[in-house]
């Protein structure tokens, strides 16, 4: 079952309130936290960031409500984090700039742990469809596939490779990254891998963020990286299931549903819409619905 992740908040590993964030005493509504040792930490601050992270891992509660990950800087930093007391409390790791060439250097370190991985697609290889297919085949290998929680798309790094920066007047889907992200979806999603959408770096454009999250969902993205707590609610409100969608999903999954029927002036086809319906029901359990609906009456579906 493909599950939605919603908003994942990046927190620099040298953040002065990292312990409070990790324990849910600050920003307790966050579902997914990523402690960053890569781009969010300057080279000169890495040693302090790793020390700060080591203190947090050793002392943070093991029963935190949020999933907690570390975005490592390189395989060497992953080795240092794994050696820290409390590393077993982490859900897993975000791999930066993941490619076929460097993936094994990360994977072999967690092979005998319970940690999950989220490789980030943000290198020049992303623009090469053949490379992405080969990388997918590597991730499909026995023993590897079930350890991949999601693939993250690194929008800023990909734009940097093109000499561009995210515009303030349009979503990423109207830039050269739009077709790239669509191809990543069609390359990975049919094979069971899910993807999360890039950060939205402008904090003063909530309407544009709204539009982009809607486009993320239309492309099948299961989550989006947040760079500020104020973005979390803005992102996750779109993951709340609409009443018509929830009603249609329940109707499609009803054991007595006809093969094809009409609901809310749309065709519902059990054979092709079942996966969507199952995902919609699960999403409503995690994020809720705009209005809770009573159990569906079996008389609602109408044959076309």
């Amino acid at each position: 079952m493909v599950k939605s992740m919603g908003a994942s908040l990046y927190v620099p590993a040298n953040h002065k309130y990292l312990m409070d964030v990790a324990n849910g005493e600050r920003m307790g509504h966050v579902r997914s936290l990523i402690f960053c040792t890569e781009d969010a930490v300057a080279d000169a601050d890495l040693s302090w960031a790793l020390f700060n992270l080591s203190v947090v891992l050793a002392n943070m509660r093991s029963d935190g409500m949020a999933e907690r990950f570390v975005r490592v800087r390189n395989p060497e930093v992953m080795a240092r984090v794994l050696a820290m007391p409390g590393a077993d409390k982490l859900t897993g790791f975000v791999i930066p700039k993941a490619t076929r060439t460097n993936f094994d250097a990360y994977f072999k370190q967690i092979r005998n742990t319970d940690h999950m991985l989220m490789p980030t697609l943000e290198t020049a290889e992303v623009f090469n469809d053949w490379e992405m297919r080969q990388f997918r085949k590597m991730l499909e290998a026995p023993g590897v596939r079930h350890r991949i929680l999601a693939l993250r798309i690194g929008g800023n790094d990909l734009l940097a490779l093109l000499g561009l920066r995210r515009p303030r007047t349009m979503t990423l889907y109207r830039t050269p990254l739009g077709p790239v992200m669509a191809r990543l979806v069609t390359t990975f999603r049919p094979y069971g891998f899910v993807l999360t959408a890039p950060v939205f770096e402008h904090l003063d454009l909530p309407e544009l963020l709204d539009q982009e999250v809607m486009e993320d969902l239309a492309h099948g993205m299961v989550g989006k990286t947040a760079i500020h707590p104020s973005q979390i609610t803005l992102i996750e409100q779109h993951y709340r299931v609409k009443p018509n969608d929830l009603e249609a999903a329940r109707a499609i999954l009803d054991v007595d549903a006809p093969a094809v029927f009409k609901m809310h002036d749309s065709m519902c086809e059990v054979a092709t819409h079942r996966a969507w319906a199952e995902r919609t029901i699960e999403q409503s359990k995690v994020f809720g619905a705009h209005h809770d609906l009573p159990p569906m009456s079996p008389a609602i579906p109408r044959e076309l």
Side-chain angles (χ1 to χ4, degrees), residues 16-288:
K16 62 180 179 179
Y17 295 121
L18 189 64
M19 179 70 78
D20 293 341
V21 174
N23 282 332
E25 293 165 11
R26 283 175 177 261
M27 298 177 282
H29 60 299
V30 180
R31 303 172 192 275
S32 176
L33 292 165
I34 300 174
F35 309 140
C36 185
T37 70
E38 202 218 4
D39 289 346
V41 176
D43 292 345
D45 297 329
L46 179 60
S47 293
W48 162 248
L50 290 175
F51 172 76
N52 191 44
L53 180 62
S54 70
V55 173
V56 170
L57 293 184
N59 294 282
M60 74 179 186
R61 293 198 295 265
S62 58
D63 59 348
M65 294 297 292
E67 303 284 352
R68 295 167 293 192
F69 303 85
V70 171
R71 182 192 195 189
V72 294
R73 199 180 190 91
N74 50 46
E76 292 72 30
V77 167
M78 175 182 267
R80 292 177 65 177
V81 175
L82 283 168
M84 295 175 182
D88 58 301
K89 302 172 191 174
L90 294 169
T91 302
F93 295 89
V94 174
I95 299 175
K97 301 173 177 59
T99 66
R100 286 193 302 138
T101 303
N102 64 22
F103 177 77
D104 192 56
Y106 293 101
F107 180 75
K108 67 183 181 183
Q109 297 189 55
I110 61 93
R111 191 189 307 271
N112 297 317
T113 74
D114 294 325
H115 292 115
M116 302 295 289
L117 294 178
M118 290 194 287
T120 307
L121 306 175
E122 54 186 349
T123 66
E125 285 86 348
V126 171
F127 301 113
N128 185 315
D129 292 346
W130 183 85
E131 272 292 336
M132 289 297 95
R133 290 194 297 270
Q134 297 306 305
F135 191 28
R136 184 193 71 215
K137 291 177 182 178
M138 173 179 282
L139 299 180
E140 288 179 304
V144 177
R145 173 65 188 86
H146 71 285
R147 307 297 290 276
I148 307 301
L149 183 61
L151 299 170
R152 309 191 74 85
I153 301 175
N156 280 346
D157 281 84
L158 293 174
L159 285 173
L161 290 168
L162 302 175
L164 300 174
R165 184 182 180 183
R166 162 193 280 281
R168 293 178 58 87
T169 56
M170 62 188 69
T171 71
L172 274 184
Y173 294 93
R174 292 182 59 196
T175 73
L177 286 195
V180 175
M181 292 190 290
R183 285 198 300 273
L184 289 174
V185 171
T186 57
T187 297
F188 288 98
R189 183 98 187 207
Y191 297 86
F193 296 98
V194 295
L195 299 100
T196 67
V199 302
F200 185 89
E201 67 189 73
H202 304 304
L203 299 179
D204 61 339
L205 298 173
E207 295 85 2
L208 190 59
L209 173 58
D210 275 345
Q211 178 62 39
E212 184 161 296
V213 177
M214 287 190 284
E215 294 187 57
D216 291 338
L217 290 170
H219 281 74
M221 303 293 176
V222 300
K224 191 174 188 68
T225 303
I227 58 170
H228 191 274
S230 64
Q231 294 183 329
I232 294 170
T233 299
L234 291 171
I235 292 171
E236 293 199 342
Q237 67 181 353
H238 291 283
Y239 284 82
R240 296 178 64 196
V241 176
K242 294 179 175 61
N244 284 0
D245 287 343
L246 183 55
E247 191 174 13
R250 289 175 175 174
I252 290 166
L253 297 178
D254 191 290
V255 294
D256 296 320
V260 182
F261 59 90
K262 175 184 176 182
M263 179 171 281
H264 305 305
D265 288 321
S266 295
M267 180 189 78
C268 295
E269 188 174 48
V270 173
T272 57
H273 294 155
R274 176 173 291 278
W276 169 86
E278 292 174 344
R279 189 169 67 252
T280 298
I281 296 294
E282 289 303 313
Q283 189 167 318
S284 73
K285 292 177 181 178
V286 175
F287 298 97

